[in-house]
Amino acid sequence: LADDYTKGVQFACMMFVHFTIQKQYKELTTHLPMPRLQHLKRVKKDLSNKDHPLSVLLCPDDKNQSSEDGNPKPCHRTPSLRELCPAIDLPDDVVGGTYTVLVPSRAPLTRAQFEAASAVWPTTFHEDKYISRLLTGPILTCEEQEYAEDYMKFAITVARRGRQLQQDSAGCSDGCVIVDPNTKKLLIAAHPVTKQHPLHHAVMVAIDLVAKQQGAGSYTYRGEHLFIANTGELPAEQTSEKTGPYLCTGYDVYVTAEPCIMCSMALVHSRIRRLYYGDPSPDGALGTKYKLHTQPGLNHKFEVFRGLLMKDHTVSGVLNSSVDA
Amino acid sequence: MDNLEFGACHYSPDQEQHEFWMEQAMILAKDALNSGEVPVGCIFVYDEHIVAKGRNQVNMKKNATRHAELVAIDMLMEWCQMKNVGFNHVIKRSILYVTVEPCIMCCGALRHLQLGLVVYGCSNDRFGGCGSVLNVHADDLTSLGPPMKCIGGYFGDEAVSLLKHFYHGENPNTPCPKIKKKVHGDKIAS
Ligand SMILES: [Zn+2]
Ligand SMILES: [Zn+2]
């Protein structure tokens, strides 16, 4: 998940005016629309204030700087409503003073952020049920977890076989398995072939093997150097233009270790659905060095699950001990 | 005496030569456009000669990683085998001319290989790895070795107009054209 989900509430300065009647507040909003900060409710009721029970947000107060501790630092006088917007013509007894207040600067993403934000100013919240489930409950269902662990174990088997064949391991992760989650079919299993090509990390090999299954692909891998489980032959008519699968759209990928920046971006380009990886890598791009799966601006995002099978031991621990044995 | 031993990129072209090489890369980008691929082209220059060429082949190979840079890297490997010279030695002393800023993936790949220098045309606001989205060329990544030198801005406008030409039509293999954003200015995808 992106850091945004776990961050505390951030504030911005806004001016507000004390106000009497709900009806006339319409006139305010037409003269002073609030295009930014749409998540804030415009009006806050304060029944303890007898004369002006309503507080209405006017506009961002750019001259006052928001401070870290949650209190506005007034460095200039807040202008009156008349000074702010001369076009609004309202009787004096309706309009109270203007003040500057700190409001949450961004829409809350989680219930916790919503509650913290609402304590400051009324805020709207569109709960993302999926995100809430991720934050509160077990992320994977038992069945999903079981499948995932099986595929990860298979990725380790592939990695082990790769090490035996290559005698050394290179690239960001030693084994990669690609699965179609809809049919629960294993499509590709690959290990790095970096002796023949420095960029043939397991992920890059696997992506090209998917392309090969779809009737294209770029490389011929010499069989004796590669252990490929190619069980998921696609029916011939499915591989035809337009109706066939597009790249790796919707597929799940399992790798023994966190992919490097090249492989991670290759997975973004390939539009996978979800990635499971075992151990973190020092220069890993999905949590350690970068968080590419949450990078704003990229046209595709996928889910990342770290540390499958890590409850008792690391994937590399399993891998090393089994290679030595 | 072998002047290649004086460190990476012994050959340092001037402005005019940069432009000459970039024109060669532009020809490949146009070739990609004519084949219905995202118009990006590149060449590797080593010892004042073009030793490898590449252009985008994503649709042809049904592999989203077949960017011009990776296609050219494969050709460079073949060239090295043919000439019986070390690939690592050559790529460290080569210059890549590419019409669009390398994406995050390609930038990672080029740093893995410790390429000498990248010269590119327009920036890549959607995927760029040399400063536009991430700074893969310069960030501290121990496993990828030292930072990579990049220069941008050669024939950028021409590269942008090729991309606009491509995205104003439709990529026939993308199933959901509605998610493909219209391209403005030098916002592009590769
Ligand atoms: Zn990798
Ligand atoms: Zn690229």
Side-chain angles (χ1 to χ4, degrees):
Chain A
L1 281 178
D3 294 335
D4 290 350
Y5 290 98
T6 45
K7 244 189 229 163
V9 180
Q10 315 248 312
F11 296 98
C13 278
M14 284 288 273
M15 292 186 226
F16 74 97
V17 66
H18 280 152
F19 212 63
T20 318
I21 325 163
Q22 186 109 32
K23 223 165 77 188
Q24 279 155 332
Y25 124 87
K26 282 255 154 55
E27 185 156 355
L28 270 182
T29 52
T30 44
H31 280 98
L32 287 168
M34 201 165 67
R36 286 187 295 148
L37 303 166
Q38 290 281 341
H39 59 283
L40 296 171
K41 290 187 178 164
R42 202 78 198 254
V43 185
K44 177 179 172 177
K45 279 191 183 139
D46 180 11
L47 296 175
S48 64
N49 188 331
K50 288 255 157 48
D51 291 334
H52 303 103
L54 302 177
S55 298
V56 181
L57 289 180
L58 293 174
C59 57
D61 185 348
D62 296 323
K63 284 190 189 130
N64 274 325
Q65 293 299 309
S66 66
S67 62
E68 294 300 312
D69 59 7
N71 290 311
K73 266 195 249 160
C75 33
H76 79 122
R77 187 185 66 85
T78 308
S80 74
L81 180 61
R82 201 146 275 163
E83 287 163 335
L84 269 173
C85 186
I88 298 174
D89 186 26
L90 290 170
D92 281 343
D93 59 326
V94 173
V95 181
T98 47
Y99 306 89
T100 295
V101 67
L102 281 181
V103 294
S105 61
R106 295 191 307 166
L109 296 170
T110 64
R111 186 150 288 277
Q113 288 177 352
F114 169 63
E115 277 160 16
S118 300
V120 184
W121 191 272
T123 308
T124 55
F125 175 44
H126 304 286
E127 188 173 22
D128 184 331
K129 284 276 152 52
Y130 181 73
I131 295 290
S132 300
R133 187 162 72 90
L134 290 188
L135 286 169
T136 53
I139 296 167
L140 300 173
T141 63
C142 280
E143 195 201 13
E144 275 181 316
Q145 179 85 27
E146 244 171 63
Y147 269 111
E149 285 184 9
D150 282 350
Y151 288 128
M152 186 58 88
K153 279 178 194 152
F154 189 61
I156 294 171
T157 311
V158 175
R160 197 179 299 153
R161 181 95 172 106
R163 282 194 184 182
Q164 282 165 355
L165 290 170
Q166 293 251 312
Q167 277 103 48
D168 65 348
S169 82
C172 50
S173 91
D174 291 319
C176 176
V177 168
I178 299 187
V179 175
D180 182 348
N182 298 314
T183 58
K184 299 211 170 63
K185 246 191 186 159
L186 189 138
L187 299 174
I188 289 298
H191 59 70
V193 200
T194 44
K195 267 199 177 156
Q196 278 132 59
H197 192 306
L199 300 179
H200 282 181
H201 294 190
V203 171
M204 302 299 277
V205 173
I207 288 174
D208 195 55
L209 289 172
V210 169
K212 191 147 266 182
Q213 263 183 5
Q214 295 174 3
S218 307
Y219 299 103
T220 317
Y221 302 98
R222 273 177 284 149
E224 68 266 35
H225 292 289
L226 197 70
F227 172 68
I228 310 163
N230 191 342
T231 58
E233 278 297 338
L234 293 160
E237 72 271 22
Q238 254 199 34
T239 52
S240 66
E241 295 288 309
K242 309 268 181 192
T243 52
Y246 181 69
L247 306 172
C248 300
T249 306
Y251 292 165
D252 288 356
V253 178
Y254 296 80
V255 284
T256 50
E258 183 182 358
C260 70
I261 187 73
M262 170 184 74
C263 293
S264 302
M265 192 62 196
L267 293 168
V268 173
H269 285 316
S270 300
R271 305 177 186 216
I272 65 159
R273 182 184 82 126
R274 192 179 271 184
L275 178 93
Y276 298 87
Y277 69 82
D279 306 331
S281 311
D283 281 335
L286 299 172
T288 305
K289 252 301 165 8
Y290 301 102
K291 285 191 165 191
L292 199 65
H293 53 301
T294 65
Q295 182 68 37
L298 295 183
N299 65 340
H300 178 76
K301 288 191 168 53
F302 55 83
E303 300 163 11
V304 172
F305 293 85
R306 183 209 289 247
L308 202 68
L309 295 180
M310 280 224 314
K311 263 162 252 144
D312 305 315
H313 28 235
T314 60
V315 168
S316 62
V318 174
L319 190 53
N320 287 330
S321 65
S322 59
V323 165
D324 294 342
Chain B
M1 191 175 150
D2 185 5
N3 60 355
L4 297 183
E5 295 308 310
F6 290 118
C9 277
H10 68 288
Y11 166 55
S12 36
D14 59 23
Q15 184 94 2
E16 207 173 294
Q17 284 163 316
H18 276 326
E19 285 175 9
F20 172 77
W21 295 124
M22 191 58 94
E23 270 176 60
Q24 311 306 307
M26 202 61 74
I27 293 169
L28 291 153
K30 285 173 190 158
D31 180 41
L33 184 67
N34 291 334
S35 313
E37 302 276 1
V38 176
V40 181
C42 70
I43 57 166
F44 276 102
V45 172
Y46 171 68
D47 203 15
E48 302 183 42
H49 295 285
I50 297 179
V51 287
K53 299 173 175 188
R55 56 108 167 140
N56 197 302
Q57 297 184 345
V58 168
N59 291 331
M60 180 170 94
K61 302 286 188 186
K62 299 192 182 192
N63 179 338
T65 69
R66 296 313 285 164
H67 287 186
E69 297 93 322
L70 298 197
V71 172
I73 286 169
D74 290 349
M75 192 170 162
L76 182 61
M77 281 183 72
E78 276 172 30
W79 183 86
C80 290
Q81 261 166 16
M82 204 174 68
K83 298 274 171 185
N84 206 16
V85 283
F87 174 73
N88 290 338
H89 177 91
V90 171
I91 195 155
K92 278 182 194 164
R93 291 157 179 81
S94 294
I95 305 176
L96 172 71
Y97 289 90
V98 53
T99 55
V100 180
E101 174 190 352
C103 77
I104 291 166
M105 171 187 72
C106 293
C107 203
L110 295 164
R111 243 192 103 171
H112 266 301
L113 303 174
Q114 300 185 14
L115 170 76
L117 171 70
V118 183
V119 180
Y120 62 85
C122 67
S123 66
N124 182 339
D125 285 0
R126 287 177 74 192
F127 300 125
C130 301
S132 291
V133 179
L134 288 177
N135 294 306
V136 180
H137 65 301
D139 284 341
D140 179 28
L141 298 162
T142 346
S143 61
L144 299 193
M148 186 169 67
K149 285 187 220 111
C150 303
I151 313 173
Y154 285 90
F155 293 109
D157 294 343
E158 202 174 323
V160 167
S161 74
L162 281 185
L163 291 161
K164 275 187 179 166
H165 192 281
F166 178 80
Y167 283 108
H168 281 191
E170 263 177 21
N171 182 346
N173 284 353
T174 308
C176 303
K178 64 171 182 277
I179 59 165
K180 188 130 264 169
K181 283 187 184 126
K182 279 275 174 288
V183 179
H184 301 291
D186 60 353
K187 281 194 172 61
I188 61 105
S190 63

